Amino acid sequence: MNRLTFKNGIRLLLIAILFLGTITITSLGTIMNPASAQANKPTIVLVHGAFAESSSWNGVLTKLITKGYPTVAVANPLRGVKSDADYVASALEDIKGPIVLVAHSYGGSVITNAVNGNKNVKALVYVAGFAPEAGETAGELSGRYPGSTLTPTLAPPVVLPDGGKDLYIQQSKFHAQFAADLPASDAELMASTQRPIVEAAFSEASGAPAWKSIPSWFIYGERDLNIPAAVHAFMAKRANSKETIAVKGASHVVMISHADAVAKLIDRAATAS
């Protein structure tokens, strides 16, 4: 091999190394900076309801994260509509860019009151959730149509130091009442880890509803024993829901038993917003 051929070979090798190095750095940049892949997507904020916790969103979160959405599952204090809404509102203030606000059950009352003029909130998704009008309460709404069997399944209230009362569902009745379409073993774990809600929260009047100014989407189970399906249908129609899904055979925890359907609805709401 002459000297010229050798030099040309070295030059081509160096070019190849530089090219491959550029590809590697670009690929690592994408992996190390996932925020760049999420830049055009809204943040999905999920709020759990009474007798549940943030982990109830795990199935939905997994699917949303796979789609590249930034996500936050807020720990709802369950101490009262206004105080819980203020807490969620403070969490929203720290999020930059558009937000899709999602809630389950009593959490729906919370997000209805939590927007507080936050212009970043572009969509509301009610997952078996309350969507009260001003002055309405969760207790009144759940009894507007027949079908709720929650009250007889509640355990004796736990009296708090301030005189308030915490409510739990009796563990022996949790499966049938709250999560009938889940395996018994899963419901048993949920019953053991359920978060109590203060009794007064169910009778606290709601403020001006965010769903009057922000587009909303609804999904619920046809066999919801906490909030009857007729109540969900009524609230969705009143809110001029962009899309309403009644999941056949689903219980109150539709976000767990039908996580895929819930995640897809949230995705459509996020895309539309």
Side-chain angles (χ1 to χ4, degrees):
M1 178 183 295
N2 60 43
R3 182 173 296 179
L4 181 59
T5 302
F6 178 76
K7 288 182 177 179
N8 287 336
I10 293 296
R11 187 179 295 111
L12 289 172
L13 179 61
L14 289 172
I15 291 172
I17 291 171
L18 288 171
F19 177 73
L20 291 172
T22 300
I23 291 176
T24 301
I25 291 170
T26 301
S27 299
L28 283 174
T30 301
I31 295 171
M32 297 298 289
N33 186 22
S36 64
Q38 301 175 339
N40 297 321
K41 290 184 176 292
T43 298
I44 312 298
V45 178
L46 306 105
V47 181
H48 67 81
F51 316 116
E53 55 171 344
S54 294
S55 65
S56 61
W57 293 112
N58 283 356
V60 173
L61 281 166
T62 298
K63 297 178 186 300
L64 293 175
I65 291 169
T66 298
K67 286 181 174 291
Y69 285 103
T71 58
V72 177
V74 179
N76 188 354
L78 305 177
R79 298 296 88 186
V81 175
K82 187 180 185 306
S83 62
D84 294 341
D86 288 345
Y87 178 82
V88 172
S90 67
L92 298 180
E93 290 176 359
D94 293 330
I95 298 173
K96 296 181 180 179
I99 297 169
V100 174
L101 197 50
V102 184
H104 173 243
S105 191
Y106 162 79
S109 294
V110 175
I111 69 168
T112 296
N113 289 270
V115 176
N116 289 339
N118 188 326
K119 295 181 179 180
N120 285 343
V121 179
K122 303 301 183 183
L124 303 171
V125 181
Y126 291 90
V127 182
F130 287 111
E133 173 62 278
E136 291 180 341
T137 70
E140 184 274 324
L141 273 174
S142 62
R144 180 164 295 190
Y145 295 92
S148 176
T149 56
L150 175 62
T151 300
T153 69
L154 296 175
V158 176
V159 180
L160 303 173
D162 64 0
K165 297 177 180 179
D166 262 350
L167 300 179
Y168 293 84
I169 295 176
Q170 298 174 52
Q171 291 192 21
S172 62
K173 297 180 179 179
F174 191 96
H175 186 198
Q177 175 63 36
F178 203 75
D181 56 348
L182 294 184
S185 57
D186 291 350
E188 186 174 7
L189 288 175
M190 292 177 63
S192 296
T193 60
Q194 63 178 295
R195 292 268 311 281
I197 184 169
V198 68
E199 184 179 47
F202 285 123
S203 58
E204 183 177 345
S206 182
W211 48 259
K212 283 193 173 181
S213 58
I214 299 172
S216 59
W217 283 254
F218 286 72
I219 185 170
Y220 59 89
E222 285 187 338
R223 299 187 65 183
D224 188 336
L225 297 181
N226 277 29
I227 308 171
V231 177
H232 290 302
F234 162 75
M235 292 186 295
K237 183 178 181 180
R238 181 175 65 179
N240 293 314
S241 171
K242 296 292 184 181
E243 183 178 356
T244 302
I245 300 175
V247 181
K248 187 176 181 179
S251 73
H252 187 57
V253 291
V254 64
M255 72 290 192
I256 300 176
S257 60
H258 293 78
D260 189 55
V262 172
K264 285 179 178 178
L265 183 65
I266 294 171
D267 182 42
R268 290 195 292 274
T271 301
S273 65

